């Protein structure tokens, strides 16, 4: 096992990794920007190193600074967490080249899955069903027009380097194609430094269903069931559930096995999530995330498996400690992402927290770096807390979640906490009658009218 891990991240996820390390008796090193000197992950780690100024390009994305910090403290592995450098294959290679272990999959797998066009080609090879779309990169407007005729409207222009819903444009009719292509390319260039785009059929009422998989270097692959993440805004997840409330047993088995087979074929190692859209009883691959996911706690809740601990163990060269047929799925779990965002506009609302009170009780978990007196910096992702509740079944889970939300206090900044209260009590949420467009097109529309 490792003796010291540097955690190249911040916020709730840095704390999450730190806790797993503690249980494994591994020393932890936090890194932080000058804006995060007072952050909880810095306070709780065994050691900490300041890696640069507030802006993430100069700190949490600053590879030389992170590598130097790791060497300085004598870390034998680096955990990249979520976001930042977690899907940067160059970083994974650089870490290895400096004789440390990158806690994640092989650089080649990160590379192929990080490029969505290559990922779709690979997924096709692996036997995963795809959303109908262009075979590769869209070269120019003429090419876009030809492809759009084959695919039909509405369609979606997506960035090959995409992530976090950026660089995505829906096109409803032919006349809008040119403008949308230009806008998608510009957005992709600004966000990822790469303006390659492709086109997909825009599914009208899909649900987002993903499978958590785990692989080790001995060829073992297991899945930990599916999660449904259809409640989204701006193509970004807000509420996740495990299991999906709409799949039947056969569908659950089918999608779990399909994901495992694909991962086995590619000799995938470490944690991964294969994401699908589900419409008219059919699954369509959209992407694979080669890292830990924000929503991993709901899978932990229903399986009782510490995913991060298992991930670290696999990275240290151990076999997966679980067998597929021994994994039990118990009850139902829901995660609410609490973001420092205006609950109507979703614009960031950073600032000082005068009061923070997390709820508690059996099956109630709060992953957060917040504390009373903390000041949320304006430079990073707006996720400030994750509330995860586990119940005997879905209705029990909703009941508990309602109670937990009532107890939770985050003041005085506006946050999505207020929105969660309303969503959980809506009829559609209670009946699981939603798809990826429900929050924006139905719920918020009705609420704001
Ligand atoms: P990102 O990597 O930017 O998160 P994804 O490909 O994972 O992009 O898609 C994010 C979300 O965008 C999906 O969960 C879904 O809501 C929506 N989406 C993606 N592709 C399609 C599609 N072809 N049709 C309809 N919605 C889509």
């Amino acid at each position: 096992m490792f003796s010291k891990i540097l955690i190249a991240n911040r916020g709730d996820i840095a704390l999450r990794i730190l806790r797993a390390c503690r249980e494994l008796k591994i020393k932890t090193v936090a890194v932080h920007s000058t804006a995060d000197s007072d952050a909880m992950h810095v306070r709780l780690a065994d050691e900490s190193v300041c890696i640069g100024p507030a802006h993430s390009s100069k700190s949490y994305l600053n590879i030389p600074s992170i590598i130097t910090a790791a060497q300085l403290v004598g870390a034998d592995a680096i955990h990249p967490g979520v976001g930042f450098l977690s899907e940067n294959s160059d970083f994974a290679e650089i870490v290895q080249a400096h004789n440390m272990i990158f806690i994640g999959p092989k650089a080649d797998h990160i590379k192929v899955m990080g490029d969505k066009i290559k990922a779709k080609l690979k997924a096709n090879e692996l036997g995963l069903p795809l959303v109908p779309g262009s075979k590769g990169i869209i070269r120019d407007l003429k090419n876009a027009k030809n492809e759009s005729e084959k695919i039909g409207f509405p369609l979606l222009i997506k960035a090959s380097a995409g992530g976090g819903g950026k660089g995505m444009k829906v096109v409803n009719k032919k006349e809008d194609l040119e403008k949308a292509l230009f806008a998608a390319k510009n957005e992709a260039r600004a966000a990822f430094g790469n303006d390659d785009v492709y086109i997909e059929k825009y599914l009208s009422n899909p649900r987002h269903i993903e499978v958590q998989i785990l692989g080790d270097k001995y060829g073992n692959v297991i899945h930990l069931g599916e999660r449904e993440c259809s409640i989204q805004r701006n193509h970004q997840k807000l509420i996740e559930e495990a299991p999906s409330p709409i799949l039947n047993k056969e569908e659950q088995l089918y999608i779990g096995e399909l994901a495992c087979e694909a991962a086995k074929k590619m000799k995938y190692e470490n944690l991964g999530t294969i994401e699908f859209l589900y419409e008219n009883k059919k699954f369509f691959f959209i992407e694979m995330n080669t890292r830990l996911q924000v929503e991993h706690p709901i899978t932990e809740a229903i399986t009782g498996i510490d995913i991060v601990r298992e991930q670290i163990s696999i990275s240290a060269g151990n076999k997966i400690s679980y067998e597929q047929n021994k994994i039990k799925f118990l009850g139902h779990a829901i995660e609410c992402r609490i973001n420092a965002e205006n609950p109507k506009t979703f614009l960031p609302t950073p600032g000082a927290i005068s009061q923070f009170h997390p709820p508690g009780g059996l099956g109630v978990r709060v992953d957060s770096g917040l504390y009373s007196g903390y000041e949320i910096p304006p430079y990073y992702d707006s996720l400030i807390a994750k509330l995860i509740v586990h119940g005997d079944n879905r209705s029990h889970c909703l009941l508990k979640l309602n109670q937990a939300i009532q107890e939770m206090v985050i003041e005085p900044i506006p946050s999505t906490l207020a929105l969660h209260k309303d969503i959980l009590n809506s009829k559609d949420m209670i009946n699981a009658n939603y798809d990826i467009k429900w929050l924006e097109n139905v719920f918020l529309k009705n609420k704001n009218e």
Side-chain angles (χ1 to χ4, degrees):
M1 196 32 92
F2 304 118
S3 57
K4 195 186 265 191
I5 291 180
L6 180 136
I7 303 164
N9 218 296
R10 63 184 298 283
D12 67 280
I13 208 71
L15 285 172
R16 171 70 190 88
I17 297 161
L18 192 145
R19 290 179 181 128
C21 290
R22 285 264 154 81
E23 280 185 38
L24 291 164
K25 299 197 166 51
I26 299 170
K27 291 256 177 285
T28 53
V29 184
V31 292
H32 65 93
S33 70
T34 49
D36 273 344
S37 315
D38 282 334
M40 210 39 128
H41 75 283
V42 178
R43 293 185 183 192
L44 294 186
D46 297 307
E47 289 172 76
S48 65
V49 183
C50 180
I51 47 163
H55 203 282
S56 50
S57 64
K58 301 214 164 96
S59 48
Y60 297 103
L61 293 172
N62 183 342
I63 296 179
S65 203
I66 294 170
I67 297 286
T68 311
Q71 288 184 317
L72 199 73
V73 298
D76 41 21
I78 299 185
H79 196 307
V82 169
F84 293 128
L85 296 168
S86 61
E87 287 176 297
N88 183 320
S89 57
D90 290 342
F91 181 60
E93 272 172 2
I94 293 168
V95 173
Q96 308 286 357
H98 287 81
N99 299 319
M100 290 176 283
I101 302 286
F102 173 82
I103 301 182
K106 288 183 281 200
D108 286 352
H109 286 152
I110 303 176
K111 198 176 273 172
V112 71
M113 289 303 169
D115 177 322
K116 292 192 170 194
I117 294 175
K118 285 199 189 121
K120 280 191 88 167
L121 294 173
K122 185 79 188 167
N124 192 34
E125 238 176 79
L126 298 170
L128 296 171
L130 304 183
V131 183
S134 62
K135 283 271 174 302
I137 173 179
I138 293 294
R139 294 183 303 275
D140 49 30
L141 182 62
K142 192 170 158 230
N143 185 210
K145 279 184 179 156
N146 283 341
E147 289 293 344
S148 67
E149 256 160 46
K150 278 188 242 158
I151 300 163
F153 291 90
L155 53 78
L156 187 61
I157 306 178
K158 295 173 84 171
S160 192
K166 288 200 195 93
M168 245 186 237
K169 294 279 169 240
V170 181
V171 191
N172 287 311
K173 49 186 192 310
K174 212 164 141 184
E175 299 75 55
D176 300 339
L177 185 64
E178 184 172 0
K179 211 168 136 201
L181 181 66
F182 191 69
K185 275 175 141 337
N186 270 345
E187 204 173 299
R189 200 179 307 116
F192 315 111
N194 171 348
D195 70 354
D196 288 349
V197 295
Y198 62 105
I199 296 181
E200 254 176 21
K201 171 104 198 117
Y202 188 54
L203 301 182
S204 47
N205 302 103
R207 300 176 69 127
H208 175 118
I209 292 172
E210 58 185 36
V211 181
Q212 176 72 62
I213 55 141
L214 261 173
D216 64 23
K217 68 175 186 186
Y218 309 99
N220 302 305
V221 175
I222 59 165
H223 72 83
L224 301 181
E226 84 285 354
R227 298 184 281 257
E228 169 145 8
C229 318
S230 299
I231 300 189
Q232 306 181 347
R233 48 92 181 76
N234 305 329
H235 302 300
Q236 287 177 328
K237 301 159 187 168
L238 193 68
I239 299 179
E240 301 99 342
E241 313 199 29
S244 160
I246 51 145
L247 295 190
N248 61 35
K249 280 263 167 311
E250 290 80 59
E251 289 172 311
Q252 286 182 309
L253 219 60
Y254 163 77
I255 200 62
E257 278 174 10
L258 193 72
C260 271
E261 276 313 303
K264 261 184 207 151
K265 274 191 212 156
M266 66 191 281
K267 299 195 167 45
Y268 191 80
E269 288 172 28
N270 219 268
L271 275 189
T273 299
I274 308 192
E275 300 193 335
F276 300 90
L277 292 179
Y278 173 82
E279 189 174 67
N280 299 330
K281 299 229 145 252
K282 281 199 200 114
F283 291 95
F284 303 93
F285 167 86
I286 46 170
E287 70 164 343
M288 178 170 187
N289 287 326
T290 51
R291 56 167 169 81
L292 180 65
Q293 303 261 115
V294 171
E295 58 273 26
H296 75 277
I298 52 174
T299 301
E300 295 186 319
I302 62 162
T303 58
I305 293 175
D306 183 324
I307 292 179
V308 182
R309 206 173 60 192
E310 196 58 20
Q311 180 189 26
I312 295 171
S313 166
I314 290 170
S315 294
N318 297 309
K319 266 193 185 161
I320 299 176
S321 6
Y322 301 90
E323 278 169 44
Q324 188 72 62
N325 56 13
K326 302 250 169 72
I327 293 166
K328 296 250 174 333
F329 298 100
L330 281 180
H332 196 92
I334 300 182
E335 173 180 273
C336 290
R337 295 192 190 195
I338 298 161
N339 300 320
E341 280 171 11
N342 178 309
K344 279 195 181 132
T345 60
F346 299 111
L347 290 171
T349 54
I353 300 293
S354 60
Q355 279 202 62
F356 173 62
H357 174 75
L362 181 66
V364 177
R365 166 175 172 185
V366 177
D367 278 17
S368 173
L370 284 190
Y371 56 86
S372 298
Y374 176 69
E375 180 139 6
I376 302 164
Y379 311 102
Y380 314 110
D381 192 273
S382 59
L383 182 70
I384 50 170
K386 306 192 295 203
L387 170 60
I388 305 106
V389 171
H390 183 220
D392 299 341
N393 49 46
R394 191 169 185 270
S395 53
H396 181 227
C397 183
L398 280 171
L399 196 74
K400 261 199 198 192
L401 188 50
N402 257 302
Q403 210 165 296
I405 289 242
Q406 297 302 334
E407 276 180 42
M408 193 161 192
V409 179
I410 301 176
E411 280 174 0
I413 58 143
S415 75
T416 53
L417 186 59
L419 179 63
H420 286 300
K421 283 185 193 163
D422 291 346
I423 295 176
L424 294 178
N425 287 305
S426 71
K427 216 169 154 200
D428 285 341
M429 179 65 189
I430 292 165
N431 296 327
N433 179 29
Y434 54 67
D435 58 41
I436 59 162
K437 297 173 192 168
W438 171 80
L439 181 63
E440 285 171 334
N441 293 359
V442 181
F443 181 79
L444 290 173
K445 225 175 225 165
N446 291 342
K447 195 168 172 322
N448 296 336
E449 258 165 21

